[in-house]
Amino acid sequence: MNSVAPVSVPVCPPLQRVTLSNGQLSFRARGDGEAVIFLHGLLGSSKSWAFQFAHVSRNYRVIAWDAPGFGQSALVPASIDAYVEALRGFLAGIGETRISLIGHSMGGAVAACFAARFPELVSRLILSCSHAGYGDPETAPLPSKFESRMREFHAFGPVAYGANRARDLLPDCVPACVFDHAAEVASEVNPEGLRRATRMLQRADNRPLLPKLRMPILILTGEMDEDVRPDLKADLLRRTPMARHVEMQGVGHAPYFEAPDTYSGLIESFLSEGQHQ
């Protein structure tokens, strides 16, 4: 299912900002028509969607936020409720009242929770390499992986940190231009924003909400994804029995980088089918 290797990474649209109750939230947008909102993962930002801006914006208005504490977006408390409220405020701020919503990994947890709480705002939902949240208790310590990565960030600096995260995220065969872009995105992380997002995802538990989702849902998983535990993947699929599931062969946790044409094509196909339901 891998696409032809890209020769360059498309240029992302310029950063924009909208003012919410807790401060600014940054985002990027391109295209006209029905709004499709993209929510990135822990190693991402609005720049993660470079290929989707180029591809999907031919038929839709593609809007990608910087989650609270990422890009130029203000911090919010480390709870999924705060991230969902930030998304609601963001949509109101940019004047969107009915959207298709795409969430990758951490963004998928936020997207599913938002769709369950505000179904009137979400026409279609795509969950990409995601899960229902870890459901850890409030007293649980931060994951050791996070603590290790933050020590690395402060010891070696953001550039080395970004390169190491790109190595973790991408296979060796990925084109150099994609690796460099992924490394740049990861290097721009705000450590406090990452800490709060990690804590939010650690505490999040969408399991009671998932069976309540009634809009068309597409779940995309990667055959080689080692970031989403098999039990979490299986649980997400079990709790959304009406969802369509596509397992992307030969890709890991970053299909938007690894096989961008295939990934974007799956998204567009699902969105197009939804228009005629």
Side-chain angles (χ1 to χ4, degrees), residues 217-238:
I217 304 171
L218 172 64
I219 296 178
L220 299 175
T221 58
E223 178 192 21
M224 312 301 290
D225 188 353
E226 297 181 354
D227 285 69
V228 178
R229 295 195 325 247
D231 62 309
L232 294 178
K233 171 182 167 181
D235 192 48
L236 176 64
L237 294 172
R238 182 175 64 83

PDB file of all heavy atoms in Angstrom, residues 217-238:
ATOM      1  N   ILE A 217     -17.850   6.531  10.559  1.00  0.00           N
ATOM      2  CA  ILE A 217     -16.507   6.517  11.144  1.00  0.00           C
ATOM      3  C   ILE A 217     -15.595   5.643  10.298  1.00  0.00           C
ATOM      4  O   ILE A 217     -15.969   4.545   9.897  1.00  0.00           O
ATOM      5  CB  ILE A 217     -16.524   5.971  12.585  1.00  0.00           C
ATOM      6  CG1 ILE A 217     -17.493   6.770  13.470  1.00  0.00           C
ATOM      7  CG2 ILE A 217     -15.117   5.987  13.194  1.00  0.00           C
ATOM      8  CD1 ILE A 217     -17.716   6.140  14.832  1.00  0.00           C
ATOM      9  N   LEU A 218     -14.407   6.146  10.055  1.00  0.00           N
ATOM     10  CA  LEU A 218     -13.340   5.369   9.421  1.00  0.00           C
ATOM     11  C   LEU A 218     -12.192   5.250  10.407  1.00  0.00           C
ATOM     12  O   LEU A 218     -11.728   6.265  10.954  1.00  0.00           O
ATOM     13  CB  LEU A 218     -12.852   6.055   8.140  1.00  0.00           C
ATOM     14  CG  LEU A 218     -11.613   5.446   7.466  1.00  0.00           C
ATOM     15  CD1 LEU A 218     -11.903   4.035   6.965  1.00  0.00           C
ATOM     16  CD2 LEU A 218     -11.136   6.344   6.323  1.00  0.00           C
ATOM     17  N   ILE A 219     -11.733   4.030  10.651  1.00  0.00           N
ATOM     18  CA  ILE A 219     -10.577   3.805  11.505  1.00  0.00           C
ATOM     19  C   ILE A 219      -9.428   3.310  10.638  1.00  0.00           C
ATOM     20  O   ILE A 219      -9.551   2.288   9.946  1.00  0.00           O
ATOM     21  CB  ILE A 219     -10.888   2.800  12.625  1.00  0.00           C
ATOM     22  CG1 ILE A 219     -11.964   3.375  13.559  1.00  0.00           C
ATOM     23  CG2 ILE A 219      -9.625   2.458  13.418  1.00  0.00           C
ATOM     24  CD1 ILE A 219     -12.380   2.438  14.671  1.00  0.00           C
ATOM     25  N   LEU A 220      -8.329   4.052  10.652  1.00  0.00           N
ATOM     26  CA  LEU A 220      -7.135   3.700   9.903  1.00  0.00           C
ATOM     27  C   LEU A 220      -6.072   3.213  10.873  1.00  0.00           C
ATOM     28  O   LEU A 220      -5.770   3.886  11.860  1.00  0.00           O
ATOM     29  CB  LEU A 220      -6.611   4.909   9.123  1.00  0.00           C
ATOM     30  CG  LEU A 220      -7.556   5.508   8.084  1.00  0.00           C
ATOM     31  CD1 LEU A 220      -6.953   6.778   7.487  1.00  0.00           C
ATOM     32  CD2 LEU A 220      -7.864   4.493   6.984  1.00  0.00           C
ATOM     33  N   THR A 221      -5.513   2.036  10.606  1.00  0.00           N
ATOM     34  CA  THR A 221      -4.433   1.516  11.429  1.00  0.00           C
ATOM     35  C   THR A 221      -3.262   1.143  10.537  1.00  0.00           C
ATOM     36  O   THR A 221      -3.424   0.895   9.335  1.00  0.00           O
ATOM     37  CB  THR A 221      -4.894   0.274  12.226  1.00  0.00           C
ATOM     38  OG1 THR A 221      -5.360  -0.726  11.324  1.00  0.00           O
ATOM     39  CG2 THR A 221      -6.011   0.627  13.189  1.00  0.00           C
ATOM     40  N   GLY A 222      -2.076   1.121  11.125  1.00  0.00           N
ATOM     41  CA  GLY A 222      -0.877   0.764  10.386  1.00  0.00           C
ATOM     42  C   GLY A 222      -0.417  -0.644  10.733  1.00  0.00           C
ATOM     43  O   GLY A 222      -0.286  -0.985  11.918  1.00  0.00           O
ATOM     44  N   GLU A 223      -0.174  -1.437   9.730  1.00  0.00           N
ATOM     45  CA  GLU A 223       0.257  -2.822   9.950  1.00  0.00           C
ATOM     46  C   GLU A 223       1.506  -2.892  10.823  1.00  0.00           C
ATOM     47  O   GLU A 223       1.646  -3.784  11.668  1.00  0.00           O
ATOM     48  CB  GLU A 223       0.534  -3.491   8.603  1.00  0.00           C
ATOM     49  CG  GLU A 223       1.043  -4.919   8.706  1.00  0.00           C
ATOM     50  CD  GLU A 223       1.583  -5.445   7.399  1.00  0.00           C
ATOM     51  OE1 GLU A 223       1.943  -4.630   6.525  1.00  0.00           O
ATOM     52  OE2 GLU A 223       1.663  -6.675   7.252  1.00  0.00           O
ATOM     53  N   MET A 224       2.433  -1.942  10.645  1.00  0.00           N
ATOM     54  CA  MET A 224       3.707  -1.962  11.354  1.00  0.00           C
ATOM     55  C   MET A 224       3.746  -0.997  12.541  1.00  0.00           C
ATOM     56  O   MET A 224       4.814  -0.713  13.075  1.00  0.00           O
ATOM     57  CB  MET A 224       4.839  -1.604  10.378  1.00  0.00           C
ATOM     58  CG  MET A 224       4.805  -2.368   9.056  1.00  0.00           C
ATOM     59  SD  MET A 224       4.889  -4.154   9.280  1.00  0.00           S
ATOM     60  CE  MET A 224       6.591  -4.321   9.830  1.00  0.00           C
ATOM     61  N   ASP A 225       2.591  -0.488  12.954  1.00  0.00           N
ATOM     62  CA  ASP A 225       2.529   0.487  14.043  1.00  0.00           C
ATOM     63  C   ASP A 225       2.904  -0.178  15.362  1.00  0.00           C
ATOM     64  O   ASP A 225       2.217  -1.080  15.835  1.00  0.00           O
ATOM     65  CB  ASP A 225       1.125   1.078  14.117  1.00  0.00           C
ATOM     66  CG  ASP A 225       1.009   2.240  15.094  1.00  0.00           C
ATOM     67  OD1 ASP A 225       1.982   2.511  15.830  1.00  0.00           O
ATOM     68  OD2 ASP A 225      -0.047   2.889  15.110  1.00  0.00           O
ATOM     69  N   GLU A 226       3.995   0.292  15.972  1.00  0.00           N
ATOM     70  CA  GLU A 226       4.443  -0.230  17.262  1.00  0.00           C
ATOM     71  C   GLU A 226       4.128   0.721  18.406  1.00  0.00           C
ATOM     72  O   GLU A 226       4.439   0.426  19.569  1.00  0.00           O
ATOM     73  CB  GLU A 226       5.950  -0.519  17.211  1.00  0.00           C
ATOM     74  CG  GLU A 226       6.328  -1.595  16.201  1.00  0.00           C
ATOM     75  CD  GLU A 226       7.810  -1.890  16.188  1.00  0.00           C
ATOM     76  OE1 GLU A 226       8.574  -1.173  16.885  1.00  0.00           O
ATOM     77  OE2 GLU A 226       8.227  -2.833  15.484  1.00  0.00           O
ATOM     78  N   ASP A 227       3.509   1.866  18.101  1.00  0.00           N
ATOM     79  CA  ASP A 227       3.180   2.844  19.133  1.00  0.00           C
ATOM     80  C   ASP A 227       1.835   2.561  19.791  1.00  0.00           C
ATOM     81  O   ASP A 227       1.657   2.809  20.984  1.00  0.00           O
ATOM     82  CB  ASP A 227       3.178   4.263  18.549  1.00  0.00           C
ATOM     83  CG  ASP A 227       4.581   4.783  18.296  1.00  0.00           C
ATOM     84  OD1 ASP A 227       5.244   4.258  17.385  1.00  0.00           O
ATOM     85  OD2 ASP A 227       5.014   5.710  19.007  1.00  0.00           O
ATOM     86  N   VAL A 228       0.870   2.092  19.009  1.00  0.00           N
ATOM     87  CA  VAL A 228      -0.441   1.746  19.551  1.00  0.00           C
ATOM     88  C   VAL A 228      -0.432   0.263  19.916  1.00  0.00           C
ATOM     89  O   VAL A 228      -0.303  -0.597  19.047  1.00  0.00           O
ATOM     90  CB  VAL A 228      -1.561   2.040  18.538  1.00  0.00           C
ATOM     91  CG1 VAL A 228      -2.915   1.621  19.119  1.00  0.00           C
ATOM     92  CG2 VAL A 228      -1.585   3.522  18.177  1.00  0.00           C
ATOM     93  N   ARG A 229      -0.550  -0.035  21.199  1.00  0.00           N
ATOM     94  CA  ARG A 229      -0.519  -1.427  21.650  1.00  0.00           C
ATOM     95  C   ARG A 229      -1.640  -2.233  21.003  1.00  0.00           C
ATOM     96  O   ARG A 229      -2.750  -1.721  20.797  1.00  0.00           O
ATOM     97  CB  ARG A 229      -0.670  -1.489  23.172  1.00  0.00           C
ATOM     98  CG  ARG A 229       0.455  -0.864  23.953  1.00  0.00           C
ATOM     99  CD  ARG A 229       0.430  -1.283  25.422  1.00  0.00           C
ATOM    100  NE  ARG A 229      -0.896  -1.455  25.979  1.00  0.00           N
ATOM    101  CZ  ARG A 229      -1.425  -0.680  26.935  1.00  0.00           C
ATOM    102  NH1 ARG A 229      -0.748   0.360  27.414  1.00  0.00           N
ATOM    103  NH2 ARG A 229      -2.639  -0.933  27.410  1.00  0.00           N
ATOM    104  N   PRO A 230      -1.392  -3.501  20.693  1.00  0.00           N
ATOM    105  CA  PRO A 230      -2.426  -4.328  20.059  1.00  0.00           C
ATOM    106  C   PRO A 230      -3.727  -4.378  20.844  1.00  0.00           C
ATOM    107  O   PRO A 230      -4.813  -4.386  20.257  1.00  0.00           O
ATOM    108  CB  PRO A 230      -1.765  -5.701  19.967  1.00  0.00           C
ATOM    109  CG  PRO A 230      -0.297  -5.408  19.908  1.00  0.00           C
ATOM    110  CD  PRO A 230      -0.099  -4.207  20.782  1.00  0.00           C
ATOM    111  N   ASP A 231      -3.643  -4.417  22.178  1.00  0.00           N
ATOM    112  CA  ASP A 231      -4.870  -4.481  22.966  1.00  0.00           C
ATOM    113  C   ASP A 231      -5.680  -3.200  22.857  1.00  0.00           C
ATOM    114  O   ASP A 231      -6.916  -3.227  22.837  1.00  0.00           O
ATOM    115  CB  ASP A 231      -4.555  -4.793  24.431  1.00  0.00           C
ATOM    116  CG  ASP A 231      -3.706  -3.724  25.093  1.00  0.00           C
ATOM    117  OD1 ASP A 231      -2.657  -3.353  24.529  1.00  0.00           O
ATOM    118  OD2 ASP A 231      -4.077  -3.252  26.181  1.00  0.00           O
ATOM    119  N   LEU A 232      -4.985  -2.045  22.765  1.00  0.00           N
ATOM    120  CA  LEU A 232      -5.695  -0.778  22.627  1.00  0.00           C
ATOM    121  C   LEU A 232      -6.336  -0.663  21.251  1.00  0.00           C
ATOM    122  O   LEU A 232      -7.452  -0.152  21.109  1.00  0.00           O
ATOM    123  CB  LEU A 232      -4.736   0.386  22.863  1.00  0.00           C
ATOM    124  CG  LEU A 232      -4.176   0.511  24.271  1.00  0.00           C
ATOM    125  CD1 LEU A 232      -3.200   1.677  24.347  1.00  0.00           C
ATOM    126  CD2 LEU A 232      -5.292   0.690  25.291  1.00  0.00           C
ATOM    127  N   LYS A 233      -5.635  -1.114  20.241  1.00  0.00           N
ATOM    128  CA  LYS A 233      -6.189  -1.132  18.883  1.00  0.00           C
ATOM    129  C   LYS A 233      -7.430  -2.010  18.828  1.00  0.00           C
ATOM    130  O   LYS A 233      -8.475  -1.617  18.283  1.00  0.00           O
ATOM    131  CB  LYS A 233      -5.123  -1.630  17.912  1.00  0.00           C
ATOM    132  CG  LYS A 233      -5.603  -1.897  16.500  1.00  0.00           C
ATOM    133  CD  LYS A 233      -4.439  -2.432  15.667  1.00  0.00           C
ATOM    134  CE  LYS A 233      -4.873  -3.007  14.355  1.00  0.00           C
ATOM    135  NZ  LYS A 233      -3.731  -3.546  13.568  1.00  0.00           N
ATOM    136  N   ALA A 234      -7.339  -3.206  19.382  1.00  0.00           N
ATOM    137  CA  ALA A 234      -8.469  -4.134  19.366  1.00  0.00           C
ATOM    138  C   ALA A 234      -9.658  -3.576  20.140  1.00  0.00           C
ATOM    139  O   ALA A 234     -10.822  -3.742  19.724  1.00  0.00           O
ATOM    140  CB  ALA A 234      -8.043  -5.484  19.944  1.00  0.00           C
ATOM    141  N   ASP A 235      -9.382  -2.905  21.235  1.00  0.00           N
ATOM    142  CA  ASP A 235     -10.449  -2.346  22.051  1.00  0.00           C
ATOM    143  C   ASP A 235     -11.181  -1.232  21.307  1.00  0.00           C
ATOM    144  O   ASP A 235     -12.413  -1.138  21.359  1.00  0.00           O
ATOM    145  CB  ASP A 235      -9.871  -1.811  23.367  1.00  0.00           C
ATOM    146  CG  ASP A 235     -10.950  -1.491  24.385  1.00  0.00           C
ATOM    147  OD1 ASP A 235     -11.834  -2.335  24.604  1.00  0.00           O
ATOM    148  OD2 ASP A 235     -10.914  -0.375  24.939  1.00  0.00           O
ATOM    149  N   LEU A 236     -10.425  -0.388  20.605  1.00  0.00           N
ATOM    150  CA  LEU A 236     -11.051   0.677  19.816  1.00  0.00           C
ATOM    151  C   LEU A 236     -11.979   0.091  18.764  1.00  0.00           C
ATOM    152  O   LEU A 236     -13.112   0.550  18.584  1.00  0.00           O
ATOM    153  CB  LEU A 236      -9.966   1.532  19.153  1.00  0.00           C
ATOM    154  CG  LEU A 236     -10.454   2.632  18.208  1.00  0.00           C
ATOM    155  CD1 LEU A 236     -11.260   3.688  18.956  1.00  0.00           C
ATOM    156  CD2 LEU A 236      -9.276   3.291  17.484  1.00  0.00           C
ATOM    157  N   LEU A 237     -11.521  -0.932  18.056  1.00  0.00           N
ATOM    158  CA  LEU A 237     -12.340  -1.545  17.016  1.00  0.00           C
ATOM    159  C   LEU A 237     -13.567  -2.243  17.605  1.00  0.00           C
ATOM    160  O   LEU A 237     -14.667  -2.182  17.028  1.00  0.00           O
ATOM    161  CB  LEU A 237     -11.499  -2.542  16.224  1.00  0.00           C
ATOM    162  CG  LEU A 237     -10.355  -1.935  15.398  1.00  0.00           C
ATOM    163  CD1 LEU A 237      -9.485  -3.037  14.814  1.00  0.00           C
ATOM    164  CD2 LEU A 237     -10.902  -1.044  14.290  1.00  0.00           C
ATOM    165  N   ARG A 238     -13.393  -2.874  18.748  1.00  0.00           N
ATOM    166  CA  ARG A 238     -14.517  -3.583  19.368  1.00  0.00           C
ATOM    167  C   ARG A 238     -15.600  -2.623  19.825  1.00  0.00           C
ATOM    168  O   ARG A 238     -16.797  -2.942  19.760  1.00  0.00           O
ATOM    169  CB  ARG A 238     -14.004  -4.406  20.557  1.00  0.00           C
ATOM    170  CG  ARG A 238     -15.072  -5.230  21.264  1.00  0.00           C
ATOM    171  CD  ARG A 238     -14.468  -6.107  22.334  1.00  0.00           C
ATOM    172  NE  ARG A 238     -13.849  -5.329  23.398  1.00  0.00           N
ATOM    173  CZ  ARG A 238     -14.511  -4.800  24.421  1.00  0.00           C
ATOM    174  NH1 ARG A 238     -15.829  -4.963  24.512  1.00  0.00           N
ATOM    175  NH2 ARG A 238     -13.880  -4.126  25.357  1.00  0.00           N
TER     176      ARG A 238
END
